[in-house]
Amino acid sequence: GGAPGLERVRAETASCGPASSCPLPTGAEEPGMEAEAQELPLGCGGGGGSPAAGRSPEGEERREPPQASVSNGGDGDSGRELVELKVIWNKNKYDVKFCLDSTGAELKQKIHSLTGLPPAMQKVMFKGLLPEEKTLREIKVTNGAKIMVVGSTINDVLAVNTPKEAAQQEVKAEENKKEPLCRQKQHRKVLDKGKPDDVMPSVKGVQERLPTVPLSGMYNKSGGKVRLTFKLEQDQLWIGTKERTEKLPMGSIKNVVSEPIEGHEDYHMMAFQLGPTEASYYWVYWVPTQYVDAIKDTVLGKWQYF
């Protein structure tokens, strides 16, 4: 009773020839065919790709040896029409022979094996974006066609991001560990002279109002003696040296900065900003700590006098 079916299988096998050379109609509905095709090295029909080969003993005999289905670049797939492509990625060029009836998705797998670029990260261009579901034949790919690939491997992405992040961290670290002013060369040469002989006594942990007498016993940045006189009734700060006295309106002083002197935290180095930039800072060294806040508030107009 099974003779007609056997005859049909034989007829199919005879008309098809060796399984590896039997072209399958595009869009074949055979279950599992698509998955089977993707597992082949180039996405072309290889040994076992034909329905007949798996179903009849005769098909088994007609199968090509297993090694025939393993193709290096497609040269062994004589049963399929191959097309020569130039795949260009990241200034690298690859000459590839590929099945004309393979899909864009299968080409992406091939590109992955060449470049290490995962298919999901590939942008493949041939006269626009390459459709994954269509075959190369359908989109009219011809011999010598250039296939452009855009994309970065995960390692490339990490290599690009890491230096950027590292640079940002370095900048932050630099800001955090900004060298104390008193260690900078220009200040060091004054501080290394030590405390002036007539330095005013300091009182730790106390904030005092400005004394009625000038603050004296301090150095300026050239190492000369300097005194500060606060003329509140004239709203002026007088900076006096041996050579001359500068009379500055309080309103002309843009800012006042100060920092404790390392190893002598009961004294500060202080700068009055007389112009728009840091170059206009007038530095004064060995200011007693108890007057620092009062000086800032007086000059910047925050202190109330009655």
Side-chain angles (χ1 to χ4, degrees), residues 84-127:
E84 292 183 5
L85 309 173
K86 279 195 183 299
V87 175
I88 301 166
W89 171 71
N90 208 12
K91 296 183 183 174
N92 297 314
K93 291 181 183 177
Y94 304 88
D95 290 314
V96 178
K97 286 185 179 177
F98 205 67
C99 275
L100 206 48
D101 291 309
S102 292
T103 62
E106 289 166 326
L107 180 58
K108 280 190 166 187
Q109 290 293 344
K110 177 65 178 174
I111 291 168
H112 180 207
S113 71
L114 292 169
T115 64
L117 190 62
M121 297 178 80
Q122 294 175 24
K123 202 175 190 179
V124 183
M125 315 290 286
F126 173 75
K127 296 179 182 175

Side-chain angles (χ1 to χ4, degrees), residues 124-131 139-142 145-148:
V124 183
M125 315 290 286
F126 173 75
K127 296 179 182 175
L129 202 59
L130 185 84
I139 59 171
K140 298 182 170 52
V141 174
T142 54
K146 285 184 181 175
I147 307 290
M148 304 295 294

Side-chain angles (χ1 to χ4, degrees), residues 224-264:
K225 287 286 186 68
V226 65
R227 67 184 176 277
L228 302 175
T229 307
F230 295 87
K231 293 285 185 179
L232 302 180
E233 65 284 358
Q234 296 166 33
D235 201 27
Q236 289 180 349
L237 168 61
W238 291 9
I239 300 176
T241 61
K242 194 175 171 183
E243 294 77 32
R244 65 179 181 277
T245 299
E246 296 264 0
K247 298 180 180 182
L248 303 170
M250 298 281 194
S252 70
I253 301 170
K254 308 279 187 279
N255 198 13
V256 181
V257 296
S258 76
E259 187 180 281
I261 296 170
E262 242 180 3
H264 302 277

Side-chain angles (χ1 to χ4, degrees), residues 210 230 255-259 268-272 291-303:
L210 290 174
F230 295 87
N255 198 13
V256 181
V257 296
S258 76
E259 187 180 281
H268 280 231
M269 46 190 287
M270 179 176 277
F272 300 97
Y291 298 130
V292 168
D293 283 356
I295 292 170
K296 287 181 179 178
D297 291 340
T298 301
V299 171
L300 301 174
K302 295 176 187 170
W303 194 272

Side-chain angles (χ1 to χ4, degrees), residues 51-79:
R55 279 198 221 134
S56 99
E58 274 188 56
E60 286 294 324
E61 287 164 23
R62 289 172 184 270
R63 254 191 208 175
E64 297 291 326
Q67 63 269 28
S69 68
V70 177
S71 162
N72 243 343
D75 299 325
D77 275 292
S78 54

